[in-house]
Amino acid sequence: MKANFIHTYVSVDCVVFGFEDDQLNILLVQRGADKKGVKDMKLPGSLIYTEEDVDDAAHRVLFELTGIKRMSLKQFRCFASPDRAKNPDDVKWLDVAYQPNINRLITVAYLSLSKVDRKLNNISKYKLTEWCPISKLPQMPFDHNRIVKESLTEIRQWIEFDPAIVFELLPQKFTISQLHKLYEAIYNKAIDIRNFHKKVAAMPYVMALEERQKDVSHRAARFYKFDKKEYNKRKTSI
Amino acid sequence: MKANFIHTYVSVDCVVFGFEDDQLNILLVQRGADKKGVKDMKLPGSLIYTEEDVDDAAHRVLFELTGIKRMSLKQFRCFASPDRAKNPDDVKWLDVAYQPNINRLITVAYLSLSKVDRKLNNISKYKLTEWCPISKLPQMPFDHNRIVKESLTEIRQWIEFDPAIVFELLPQKFTISQLHKLYEAIYNKAIDIRNFHKKVAAMPYVMALEERQKDVSHRAARFYKFDKKEYNKRKTSI
């Protein structure tokens, strides 16, 4: 009985969403290169240190990758399947990157929806960090594909009751087309644009501005903004 | 560097809320008795096993305590402060209950708002399990008081956008007085009953029934129910 308790390494992994070039992207780092020279991308993460709290570890990882000190991060789930770090390739990488005989590894996953500038100030151990469109995610090590999938499920659950979080990803002034593309990416489905316009019209906190796009080849679209004050009227206060 | 990574035991702890006798209660278990014979109560929890996932461990703990196999549980936070298991009394208890030299212990906390019957079917290692009113929580070991406090903060955040979760704690038919007491307990403050009646009147999903209380010494209060269909109209669907 006594020998049966888990004694494990613990890591943090960060799912950082950013909306750039009208696409929903996730920040990935390069773990190494496989035999065929294909990039081996994964979620940014790290084992946590002996005297470190998990939240601090997540902030450290993102600081090293982006140069941003206090990025808004939300812990969303601990992934602890006994099999999650048993793929031989992953075991081998852990041996080299950290230390041998990591028999089990649980991870605490974080979500960030902050506006992140493309100009990343990477001081981490990773050679390459880059934005990857959510529609073009590669097969990643460990259970990182599952973590991304569940982070999208989590976001959809938040949106059901708190649509404000969508606007954390958009610039202050945005077009309905951008909002539409963002919703399509989060829900991973085509959304009829006419119905979508009706939905947005029913959101009193999405306010039309007088301003329109400039220097575009197509018809200049109107800009909108998210009105937090109007939005907060939805909240149930007791 | 290599020696600096955490290598730790991992536990689960469950904050199980139940509304009984018009009070918001939490399920506690007895760890032992201190020198003065005072009960030493804590949140139900357990170290997880080598081949066990954290969600499974949480369900196991609650099954052992209540006899309920698939209680609705939500993982809400990993608590991993390096100091959380360093109190000498806690270290001593871990030595006896589990094994010596547990130098660090992180825990994954779960929340349950299920309707739990008072008749608990306890097959766990704990002699005593009991409901404790949230207003009378004792000083508990580790960071269990902090975990309860943060679980209440978490619930308040949910309620802001998803008031339905409140009704998970109430019987199918409830009085406004019960709802009022539940809100007061969750928010830990007195709420003016007249204003509260106005708030409830503005909740179209709280429906008055024809039925009233029976066999009460005071004026029989009307029963209400939560209308899930009406409630779901609030959701933002795209």
Side-chain angles (χ1 to χ4, degrees):
Chain A
M1 177 91 171
K2 292 215 173 188
N4 273 344
F5 295 116
I6 189 180
H7 197 213
T8 182
Y9 294 90
V10 180
S11 63
V12 291
D13 283 300
C14 304
V15 188
V16 182
F17 287 97
F19 191 68
E20 297 272 348
D21 297 338
D22 289 359
Q23 287 191 104
L24 184 62
N25 299 283
I26 284 181
L27 196 63
L28 297 185
V29 295
Q30 186 177 359
R31 183 170 75 166
D34 73 7
K35 286 166 195 165
K36 292 165 200 152
V38 177
K39 279 185 294 181
D40 185 10
M41 306 300 287
K42 65 185 269 294
L43 293 176
S46 168
L47 288 194
I48 76 167
Y49 295 127
T50 312
E51 290 295 320
E52 193 176 41
D53 201 335
V54 279
D55 290 358
D56 296 331
H59 284 291
R60 168 173 61 78
V61 167
L62 284 189
F63 171 66
E64 287 170 359
L65 282 170
T66 64
I68 298 172
K69 274 212 171 145
R70 298 301 295 176
M71 191 183 283
S72 167
L73 271 173
K74 192 175 156 57
Q75 201 192 96
F76 88 95
R77 180 89 65 86
C78 171
F79 290 84
S81 160
D83 300 326
R84 63 180 297 280
K86 288 196 172 156
N87 178 309
D89 286 345
D90 295 335
V91 172
K92 205 169 150 188
W93 179 74
L94 285 171
D95 276 4
V96 176
Y98 292 103
Q99 61 189 52
N101 304 319
I102 293 190
N103 59 332
R104 193 168 167 188
L105 177 60
I106 73 170
T107 200
V108 181
Y110 287 78
L111 251 174
S112 174
L113 298 174
S114 304
K115 292 172 185 72
V116 183
D117 197 278
R118 251 186 188 286
K119 293 165 209 84
L120 301 168
N121 183 17
N122 173 21
I123 57 161
S124 72
K125 63 187 171 189
Y126 300 107
K127 270 187 213 158
L128 182 68
T129 68
E130 64 179 20
W131 291 108
C132 177
I134 191 98
S135 57
K136 291 172 185 164
L137 279 189
Q139 185 59 41
M140 294 185 287
F142 306 108
D143 49 2
H144 288 191
N145 288 81
R146 183 185 161 202
I147 293 174
V148 173
K149 197 176 162 197
E150 298 212 8
S151 74
L152 278 168
T153 305
E154 179 84 7
I155 291 175
R156 285 179 207 136
Q157 282 174 357
W158 295 351
I159 291 176
E160 269 195 23
F161 293 103
D162 187 7
I165 64 154
V166 168
F167 303 97
E168 289 178 28
L169 284 160
L170 289 169
Q172 281 212 305
K173 295 182 292 185
F174 52 84
T175 64
I176 297 299
S177 167
Q178 284 179 312
L179 186 61
H180 179 243
K181 279 173 184 157
L182 180 52
Y183 265 101
E184 286 195 326
I186 291 172
Y187 284 87
N188 191 28
K189 66 174 183 187
I191 297 168
D192 180 79
I193 186 71
R194 282 182 188 226
N195 282 338
F196 189 76
H197 272 286
K198 279 182 207 160
K199 291 277 184 193
V200 174
M203 296 176 177
Y205 44 84
V206 177
M207 319 276 261
L209 299 172
E210 288 306 314
E211 201 179 337
R212 284 176 180 271
Q213 287 178 310
K214 278 173 194 160
D215 304 323
V216 286
S217 55
H218 53 81
R219 184 167 166 267
R222 184 185 285 275
F223 280 120
Y224 289 75
K225 69 162 191 173
F226 170 65
D227 187 324
K228 200 173 169 63
K229 210 170 161 185
E230 186 63 38
Y231 181 79
N232 283 340
K233 291 182 188 167
R234 283 172 50 100
K235 287 191 187 177
T236 310
S237 59
I238 287 288
Chain B
M1 177 91 169
K2 291 216 171 186
N4 273 343
F5 294 117
I6 191 179
H7 197 214
T8 184
Y9 295 91
V10 180
S11 63
V12 291
D13 283 299
C14 303
V15 188
V16 183
F17 287 96
F19 191 70
E20 297 272 349
D21 296 338
D22 289 358
Q23 287 190 103
L24 184 62
N25 299 282
I26 284 181
L27 197 62
L28 296 185
V29 296
Q30 187 177 0
R31 183 170 75 166
D34 72 7
K35 287 166 193 164
K36 292 165 199 152
V38 177
K39 279 185 295 183
D40 186 10
M41 306 301 285
K42 65 185 271 294
L43 293 175
S46 169
L47 288 194
I48 77 168
Y49 294 127
T50 312
E51 290 295 321
E52 193 175 40
D53 201 336
V54 279
D55 289 358
D56 296 331
H59 284 290
R60 169 174 60 79
V61 167
L62 283 189
F63 171 67
E64 287 170 0
L65 282 170
T66 64
I68 300 173
K69 275 212 172 147
R70 296 303 294 179
M71 192 182 285
S72 166
L73 271 173
K74 190 175 157 57
Q75 201 193 97
F76 88 96
R77 179 89 65 87
C78 171
F79 290 84
S81 160
D83 300 326
R84 64 179 297 281
K86 288 196 173 160
N87 178 309
D89 285 346
D90 296 335
V91 172
K92 205 169 150 188
W93 179 74
L94 285 171
D95 276 6
V96 177
Y98 291 103
Q99 61 189 52
N101 304 321
I102 293 189
N103 59 332
R104 195 171 165 186
L105 178 59
I106 73 169
T107 200
V108 181
Y110 287 78
L111 251 174
S112 174
L113 298 175
S114 305
K115 292 172 185 73
V116 183
D117 198 275
R118 251 185 187 286
K119 293 166 209 84
L120 301 167
N121 185 15
N122 172 23
I123 56 161
S124 72
K125 64 186 170 191
Y126 300 108
K127 269 186 213 160
L128 182 69
T129 69
E130 63 179 19
W131 291 107
C132 177
I134 189 99
S135 56
K136 290 172 186 165
L137 279 189
Q139 185 60 40
M140 294 186 287
F142 305 108
D143 48 3
H144 287 190
N145 289 81
R146 185 185 158 202
I147 292 174
V148 173
K149 199 176 160 196
E150 298 211 9
S151 74
L152 278 169
T153 305
E154 180 84 7
I155 291 176
R156 285 179 208 136
Q157 283 174 358
W158 295 350
I159 291 177
E160 269 195 23
F161 292 103
D162 187 7
I165 64 154
V166 167
F167 303 98
E168 289 180 27
L169 285 159
L170 289 168
Q172 282 213 304
K173 294 182 293 185
F174 52 85
T175 65
I176 297 299
S177 166
Q178 284 179 313
L179 186 60
H180 179 242
K181 279 173 183 156
L182 180 52
Y183 265 102
E184 286 195 325
I186 291 172
Y187 284 87
N188 190 29
K189 67 175 183 186
I191 296 168
D192 180 80
I193 185 71
R194 283 184 187 225
N195 282 338
F196 188 76
H197 272 285
K198 279 182 207 162
K199 291 277 184 192
V200 174
M203 296 176 179
Y205 45 83
V206 177
M207 320 275 262
L209 300 171
E210 287 305 312
E211 200 178 338
R212 285 177 180 271
Q213 288 178 309
K214 278 172 191 158
D215 304 324
V216 287
S217 55
H218 53 80
R219 185 167 165 267
R222 184 185 284 274
F223 280 120
Y224 289 75
K225 70 162 190 172
F226 170 65
D227 187 323
K228 199 171 171 64
K229 210 169 160 187
E230 186 63 38
Y231 180 78
N232 283 342
K233 293 183 187 168
R234 284 172 49 98
K235 287 190 189 178
T236 311
S237 59
I238 287 288

